[in-house]
Amino acid sequence: MSAATAPFDGLILGASLATLDAASGYGEVNDGALAWRDGVLAFVGPRSQLPDDARALAREVIDADGWITPGLVDCHTHLVFAGDRAREFELRLQGATYEEIARAGGGIVSTVRATREADETELLRQSLPRARALLADGATTLEIKSGYGLDFANERKMLRVARQLGEALGITVRTTYLAAHALPPEFRDRADDYIAAVCEWLPPLHREGLVDAVDAFCEGIGFSPAQTRRVFETARALGLPVKLHADQLSDLGSAALAAEFDGLSADHVEHTSDDGVRAMAQHGTVAVLLPGAFHVLRETKLPPLQAFREHGVPMAVATDCNPGTSPLLSLRQAMQLASTHFRLTPEEALRGTTVHAARALGLRDRGVLRVGMRADFVHWDIRHPSELCYWLDGRLARQVVAGGRTL
């Protein structure tokens, strides 16, 4: 139906649009018009090209300035957990090593303990404020991983809470099964047995509709490539896509392993080799950059950014929101950190949290402003999109809309 016969649910006039609907550039439209109907974008373009009766037919008309971008997509978070590790942060600053903290009962084991002790209601209560903080600064889609339960019941509990967050907030939440995150105390020195259990738990969780993708931590302090392969083969047999914590601390060929399984993404990737970059390019695997962890851990090894550019590997940016290494509650702040630490341009950072982040979740209906795409967008109080990476903290979002509904 045309705009003349089918009214818009909403129409914004006058703001500039960063459509990102091209291979490069912001896709800038000055004095723009953005309209949506039934949760889908119905007009994107200059105000001068609107039908004459569009304003009269729109159920709501907003005259605006500033800029509108696609809604931000946080494609890597661990935001469902109980407790925090602020004390450990203080201890690290005082010189304590990770091993010393772990021996004292801290580290990931402390988060696992707190998460296991919390019931679903409490876990949801603690997780909601974190999700709301991400939304307030422009996120309209979240990926949430399990991985702090490390047994069937508690991994299931985490995934159920992630689903409940999406329902409570009216947004898309993509769930990722990350039971292969760390070795729980009850499986000490029995990593192969634990991986067998991880593979056994996946089918029933998938049957419950709780799993959208499968991840693992492939690292010397995590799980080996061979163990990761077993998890990925189980996922592939179920038709589930895979992602991977890859090459964060060393090069085990993890990014190439993710690409071999046509992985949606390889995440962290600080130590990824040229062979890994080429494999990612060949298989269309997105590189997810996580500058929050890089910043908190005071890392110095940069991801192979120029190689990603040269080989055409899409670079996404995410918060990696987690209690230990990236207590980051703003995707826009992650963009700023990516610009500062990794030298991404503001355009690359914005594409990394929209176009490429959506691709890292296998979502093709968002990430750009285009007719027919999901009506996820943010109206920002800025004079140019580069300000999204320029300002340190502060709330710049005037309106955050997901599926045509203001959050």
Side-chain angles (χ1 to χ4, degrees):
M1 299 175 71
S2 70
T5 57
F8 298 132
D9 294 329
L11 173 63
I12 300 177
L13 300 171
S16 296
L17 310 179
T19 68
L20 303 179
D21 195 14
S24 62
Y26 290 111
E28 182 173 337
V29 176
N30 292 315
D31 193 19
L34 185 81
W36 60 98
R37 180 190 305 119
D38 297 329
V40 174
L41 294 176
F43 183 92
V44 179
R47 184 193 335 219
S48 61
Q49 294 181 9
L50 267 176
D52 293 339
D53 58 354
R55 177 186 281 270
L57 287 172
R59 294 189 176 98
E60 179 184 16
V61 179
I62 301 171
D63 291 297
D65 54 7
W67 280 78
I68 295 174
T69 71
L72 306 185
V73 176
D74 199 344
C75 63
H76 182 130
T77 86
H78 304 253
L79 72 78
V80 171
F81 60 86
D84 64 61
R85 285 162 42 199
R87 177 57 180 155
E88 293 176 26
F89 174 72
E90 185 175 24
L91 291 172
R92 281 203 306 271
L93 293 176
Q94 294 171 352
T97 66
Y98 184 85
E99 283 113 345
E100 289 169 342
I101 292 171
R103 281 199 301 271
I108 191 173
V109 173
S110 66
T111 299
V112 171
R113 183 169 55 248
T115 301
R116 287 180 172 183
E117 290 173 355
D119 62 17
E120 280 190 26
T121 300
E122 177 61 18
L123 197 54
L124 179 64
R125 187 192 69 80
Q126 292 192 37
S127 301
L128 266 170
R130 294 188 284 267
R132 287 189 173 120
L134 291 170
L135 269 56
D137 216 17
T140 55
T141 301
L142 302 178
E143 184 259 15
I144 301 177
K145 303 178 189 295
S146 66
Y148 293 126
L150 307 186
D151 62 24
F152 178 78
N154 286 291
E155 289 290 296
R156 180 176 181 267
K157 177 177 68 181
M158 290 187 68
L159 293 166
R160 283 172 55 87
V161 169
R163 286 281 190 246
Q164 291 169 34
L165 282 169
E167 294 166 3
L169 298 172
I171 61 166
T172 300
V173 168
R174 301 293 283 182
T175 55
T176 299
Y177 176 65
L178 181 59
H181 189 199
L183 194 63
E186 59 268 27
F187 279 87
R188 184 177 180 180
D189 299 324
R190 294 192 296 127
D192 284 337
D193 290 342
Y194 179 64
I195 289 298
V198 168
C199 294
E200 290 172 3
W201 301 336
L202 180 54
L205 294 173
H206 176 47
R207 284 195 297 271
E208 287 190 44
L210 294 175
V211 180
D212 295 320
V214 174
D215 195 352
F217 182 37
C218 187
E219 192 55 74
I221 61 171
F223 297 97
S224 70
Q227 291 164 341
T228 301
R229 182 179 293 276
R230 289 172 62 190
V231 176
F232 280 7
E233 287 172 346
T234 302
R236 183 163 60 185
L238 294 169
L240 286 167
V242 301
K243 305 164 67 67
L244 188 60
H245 284 64
D247 304 333
Q248 179 184 8
L249 305 174
S250 62
D251 180 15
L252 296 181
S254 304
L257 176 60
E260 178 188 337
F261 282 82
D262 296 313
L264 291 173
S265 69
D267 302 29
H268 286 290
V269 294
E270 282 92 334
H271 291 263
T272 295
S273 66
D274 287 343
D275 287 343
V277 173
R278 284 192 289 270
M280 292 172 67
Q282 180 180 354
H283 291 268
T285 299
V286 176
V288 177
L289 308 179
L290 302 172
F294 185 93
H295 176 79
V296 170
L297 295 174
R298 291 181 285 184
E299 295 286 356
T300 57
K301 174 69 173 176
L302 293 171
L305 302 163
Q306 193 55 38
F308 289 144
R309 293 183 181 110
E310 291 172 357
H311 289 278
V313 175
M315 292 184 289
V317 175
T319 63
D320 191 19
C321 173
N322 75 74
T325 61
S326 189
L328 181 55
L329 295 176
S330 166
L331 187 50
R332 193 183 61 75
Q333 186 67 52
M335 293 166 60
Q336 203 285 330
L337 291 172
S339 297
T340 301
H341 289 306
F342 299 158
R343 303 297 193 270
L344 262 62
T345 67
E347 181 203 329
E348 285 179 319
L350 181 56
R351 285 184 176 275
T353 54
T354 53
V355 182
H356 302 322
R359 179 173 175 177
L361 296 181
L363 297 172
R364 303 289 181 171
D365 64 344
R366 67 201 70 195
V368 300
L369 300 180
R370 182 194 307 145
V371 171
M373 300 293 275
R374 181 177 161 89
D376 288 3
F377 59 89
V378 186
H379 181 201
W380 303 95
D381 186 15
I382 56 176
R383 289 171 290 185
H384 190 270
S386 61
E387 291 187 55
L388 298 176
C389 295
Y390 169 71
W391 291 107
L392 288 164
D393 202 13
R395 290 288 183 254
L396 303 181
R398 290 183 183 176
Q399 183 183 25
V400 181
V401 175
R405 186 181 67 87
T406 298
L407 299 179

